[in-house]
Amino acid sequence: MDGKKDIEILRIGHRPERDKRITTHVALTARAFGASGIYIDTKDPAIEENIESVNRNFGGKFFVRSGIDPKDIASKKGFLKIHLTMYGMPLKDTIGKIKESQIKTGNGIMIIVGAEKVPFWAYEMSDFNVSVTSQPISEVSALAILMDRLNDGKELENLITGMRRIIPMERGKKVDYIPDGEECLLILQRNNASQRLLDHVFMVERLATRIASSCNANIEVVRAGAMLHDIGRTVTNGIDHAVKGAEILRTAKISEDIVKIVERHTGAGISKDEAEKLGLPVKDYTPVTLEEKIVAQADNLVSGNKIITLEEVVENYKRKNLVEAANKIVKLNEDIEKICGINIKEISQELIHG
Ligand code: SAM
């Protein structure tokens, strides 16, 4: 976490029939607090699958390897071994030494936690035998407190991001769903998107994410917004396709951040007055967030599955007598370039020429 060396966990004495739940909790805590993975001595595919599903939904690449030789893992080079045991030296007196040693050696950290009685070799092989208190407590709480001290509380900043994002609430539950590229493709296919539509959204996604990575924009939100921006075209090719697309995604409980991108992607946005004239539900469809602006402009700059220049976009609009809309697209381009300090034409050219 935070540029620091890896933290790995070694779980010894796991008994699948008794410890499935608590070992899963050790893994979940390790994952949420920034460890890169856990080794479990006894084979337990159920825990591996369970954590893999948490990764898929909530992000990160936390690994679980079960059915390993714990002595082999404990001999792994490049790691300081910290064995959590109520019989060890107090954490408050050892944490400073652990950090010093970590800085001096540049090593990662392997935290050893037991389930049943821990064999003596674990005490001998460890660089530090550490007690959180001298009272027996749960390995989950011992691990959480040690990792919190190792991370200086950084894990509380919720650094892992994934498809499902919990929105903190005073009361109640809210989960935001931001589908990844694979999920977006499935959603498009389930809605019978044509190959032509897929080719277009793939190119918009490439350009939009390239622009987003040069700005301080949320890439996951931009990716999903770009891939799903034209999902409404699976039901209509009219000016209302953005509104229809937003409806489809709201029904599928996709994050409102994505829904708004889709709803506001037409040209450089549609004002409330224009919406009324066009027979759309009367509201302002102007892109507001940076992510909304990026997807709208990437879409303007992709015709079919080809990237075109801003000048070509303007020419196309003017040819259809849409001068006002053309001016708005030029302004949107300037707006994004100013916010991000980039040149969109250069980015487009880089993408075209590989
Ligand atoms: N009976 C086992 C033994 O003799 O080692 C300990 C079982 S305990 C429930 C499971 C694990 O929790 C221990 O192996 C240790 O890693 C951790 N643990 C329990 N109390 C602890 C404490 N006060 N400080 C640090 N770790 C502790």
Side-chain angles (χ1 to χ4, degrees):
M1 181 173 277
D2 204 26
K4 278 190 190 163
K5 284 275 179 182
D6 274 2
I7 299 181
E8 295 183 353
I9 315 298
L10 172 58
R11 172 71 157 158
I12 301 180
H14 171 70
R15 297 152 296 183
E17 65 294 349
R18 279 186 60 165
D19 299 324
K20 204 177 287 302
R21 192 171 150 84
I22 187 127
T23 301
T24 302
H25 286 192
V26 168
L28 288 174
T29 302
R31 176 189 164 277
F33 281 35
S36 40
I38 186 168
Y39 298 98
I40 303 168
D41 55 357
T42 317
K43 186 79 191 154
D44 197 334
I47 296 183
E48 293 183 2
E49 279 159 30
N50 195 347
I51 301 297
E52 199 33 61
S53 142
V54 175
N55 286 342
R56 266 199 307 280
N57 283 303
F58 293 95
K61 294 183 175 140
F62 186 84
F63 71 79
V64 182
R65 303 212 204 310
S66 67
I68 46 82
D69 179 345
K71 256 185 157 174
D72 261 9
I73 300 295
S75 317
K76 215 172 140 178
K77 297 256 179 305
F79 286 84
L80 283 175
K81 314 292 166 3
I82 304 177
H83 172 214
L84 277 170
T85 161
M86 69 186 236
Y87 305 105
M89 301 302 288
L91 175 61
K92 66 179 178 52
D93 302 335
T94 25
I95 187 74
K97 291 180 201 152
I98 294 171
K99 286 186 176 173
E100 241 172 60
S101 183
Q102 198 187 9
I103 293 167
K104 210 158 79 193
T105 59
N107 281 339
I109 284 184
M110 181 171 296
I111 303 172
I112 303 173
V113 285
E116 57 176 348
K117 198 167 166 53
V118 174
F120 205 68
W121 61 256
Y123 292 79
E124 288 182 325
M125 285 179 80
S126 295
D127 299 289
F128 297 93
N129 288 289
V130 175
S131 64
V132 170
T133 95
S134 297
Q135 300 295 321
I137 58 172
S138 137
E139 48 271 52
V140 178
S141 52
L143 178 67
I145 290 172
L146 170 62
M147 289 196 70
D148 177 67
R149 301 297 154 98
L150 288 170
N151 291 327
D152 296 316
K154 282 271 188 304
E155 76 285 353
L156 302 183
E157 290 167 20
N158 286 316
L159 298 172
I160 307 175
T161 54
M163 283 199 289
R164 289 182 204 274
R165 203 170 51 176
I166 307 285
I167 310 296
M169 309 270 291
E170 296 268 3
R171 276 173 203 82
K173 298 180 189 172
K174 190 160 183 223
V175 182
D176 225 14
Y177 175 39
I178 300 173
D180 62 11
E182 226 172 281
E183 284 281 319
C184 286
L185 186 55
L186 278 176
I187 295 170
L188 286 161
Q189 286 167 338
R190 261 187 244 128
N191 282 277
N192 300 320
S194 66
Q195 190 56 48
R196 196 180 138 91
L197 182 57
L198 293 181
D199 291 343
H200 170 69
V201 301
F202 288 152
M203 188 49 83
V204 174
E205 186 263 348
R206 284 186 68 194
L207 180 57
T209 53
R210 187 68 80 94
I211 296 172
S213 63
S214 318
C215 308
N216 202 11
N218 184 323
I219 305 258
E220 277 76 33
V221 170
V222 167
R223 173 172 297 112
M227 286 193 70
L228 298 173
H229 77 277
D230 266 351
I231 191 154
R233 287 198 184 273
T234 59
V235 287
T236 172
N237 272 318
I239 189 75
D240 58 342
H241 74 274
V243 173
K244 290 279 179 241
E247 266 172 34
I248 295 172
L249 298 181
R250 278 204 183 97
T251 309
K253 302 247 182 298
I254 305 289
S255 165
E256 197 55 24
D257 291 356
I258 315 293
V259 174
K260 288 275 180 357
I261 290 180
V262 174
E263 202 168 46
R264 297 172 175 170
H265 84 269
T266 314
I270 296 174
S271 70
K272 203 169 167 181
D273 286 350
E274 288 170 299
E276 194 167 10
K277 282 184 212 147
L278 293 166
L280 296 174
V282 183
K283 62 178 175 178
D284 191 350
Y285 296 91
T286 307
V288 176
T289 65
L290 180 55
E291 289 76 13
E292 288 163 17
K293 291 177 181 180
I294 290 173
V295 174
Q297 194 60 352
D299 183 37
N300 288 328
L301 293 168
V302 174
S303 170
N305 63 353
K306 297 226 161 23
I307 296 178
I308 56 174
T309 63
L310 182 60
E311 293 73 28
E312 288 172 299
V313 178
V314 169
E315 214 173 285
N316 292 342
Y317 270 74
K318 287 192 174 162
R319 213 178 300 126
K320 292 180 204 154
N321 249 339
L322 298 167
V323 179
E324 191 55 32
N327 291 342
K328 270 168 84 172
I329 291 174
V330 172
K331 270 191 80 186
L332 179 60
N333 212 73
E334 287 168 1
D335 192 16
I336 298 170
E337 289 190 335
K338 199 163 153 217
I339 297 171
C340 303
I342 54 167
N343 182 319
I344 294 179
K345 195 173 215 161
E346 271 173 21
I347 292 176
S348 300
Q349 289 304 312
E350 275 168 28
L351 208 53
I352 292 168
H353 300 296

